[in-house]
Amino acid sequence: MFETTRRDGIVQARREGARWLSTAWDGGYRDADAVYNVTVPTGFERTDLDAYREERLADAGFSVGPTLLTGVHMDHARRADSGPVTVLATAGLSNPAALPMADETEAGTESGDAADWRPGTVNLVVGADRALSEGALATLLATAVEAKAATLLDVAGVPGTTSDAVLVGSVPDADRVAFTGSATEVGAAARACVRDAVIASLDARYDEGPPGVDEAEYGVLTDRQTDVRAP
């Protein structure tokens, strides 16, 4: 089982010998006993993220490992467990990334490909107490992101924010499974845990429910047109 520890604006998820796949700035496949979700201060502008991570983790007495950053306070972090899966989530929606299905404009968003980083972000740490190949880890990441998008669409009308990130982990010396899609034990557990942890984190942060896209201060609306044709 993955263990979690919270202190000094950081949550650590630990499992000795774990193998991880990260979408963060230094992302990719990594072996690490522990990974982290770290709250950054309002107005955070540092770009030397490796150095910043080392400083924050050292100050909190943690060893360096793969890290996600967010403006959401770790008081709002929530954990969900089901079967072999543990999910840690922090969820903020001040910078939604809307994707309309028609040629329309929604209030509270800005048209464009990117926006300045703002203190929103939905971060997920997903740990599976199973041995997974690199392909199965990638599938688990996709399964978790799909569940995050479905959850946010239901509760807030957007599939994510402009700065969401995910860490997924497995345990090489545990029981091996080949598949992690939505119909598998690991995938089904991950979907349920992502849903419940994200909703719980939003509930912890927003007293009157999460803001809709028309209430958000920052965000983007992807309104570009594409050229669609048969291959």
Side-chain angles (χ1 to χ4, degrees), residues 110-202:
E110 301 173 359
S111 175
D113 297 331
D116 293 339
W117 185 90
R118 301 295 181 181
T121 305
V122 179
N123 280 352
L124 300 173
V125 178
V126 181
D129 198 10
R130 296 289 185 269
L132 306 177
S133 68
E134 290 191 350
L137 260 181
T139 300
L140 181 58
L141 189 150
T143 300
V145 170
E146 179 186 74
K148 180 264 299 181
T151 301
L152 294 180
L153 281 168
D154 183 67
V155 301
V158 294
T161 81
T162 59
S163 49
D164 293 350
V166 183
L167 271 161
V168 293
S170 67
V171 183
D173 61 0
D175 294 338
R176 179 165 295 278
V177 297
F179 304 106
T180 55
S182 56
T184 67
E185 176 196 25
V186 169
R191 281 160 61 92
C193 287
V194 167
R195 176 198 63 205
D196 293 348
V198 168
I199 290 174
S201 181
L202 289 171

Side-chain angles (χ1 to χ4, degrees), residues 36-170:
Y36 303 91
N37 196 14
V38 176
T39 299
V40 300
T42 301
F44 181 74
E45 294 182 348
R46 288 185 58 169
T47 57
D48 56 336
L49 299 184
D50 288 341
Y52 178 78
R53 169 180 56 190
E54 291 181 10
E55 293 167 13
R56 286 292 305 278
L57 295 178
D59 288 346
F62 290 124
S63 59
V64 174
T67 299
L68 307 180
L69 302 177
T70 179
V72 178
H73 198 283
M74 288 302 140
D75 285 349
H76 306 309
R78 293 296 183 268
R79 169 178 171 161
D81 296 272
S82 179
V85 174
T86 296
V87 170
L88 172 72
T90 49
L93 292 173
S94 60
N95 55 330
L99 180 64
M101 294 296 106
D103 185 14
E104 59 186 20
T105 301
E106 299 186 39
T109 62
E110 301 173 359
S111 175
D113 297 331
D116 293 339
W117 185 90
R118 301 295 181 181
T121 305
V122 179
N123 280 352
L124 300 173
V125 178
V126 181
D129 198 10
R130 296 289 185 269
L132 306 177
S133 68
E134 290 191 350
L137 260 181
T139 300
L140 181 58
L141 189 150
T143 300
V145 170
E146 179 186 74
K148 180 264 299 181
T151 301
L152 294 180
L153 281 168
D154 183 67
V155 301
V158 294
T161 81
T162 59
S163 49
D164 293 350
V166 183
L167 271 161
V168 293
S170 67

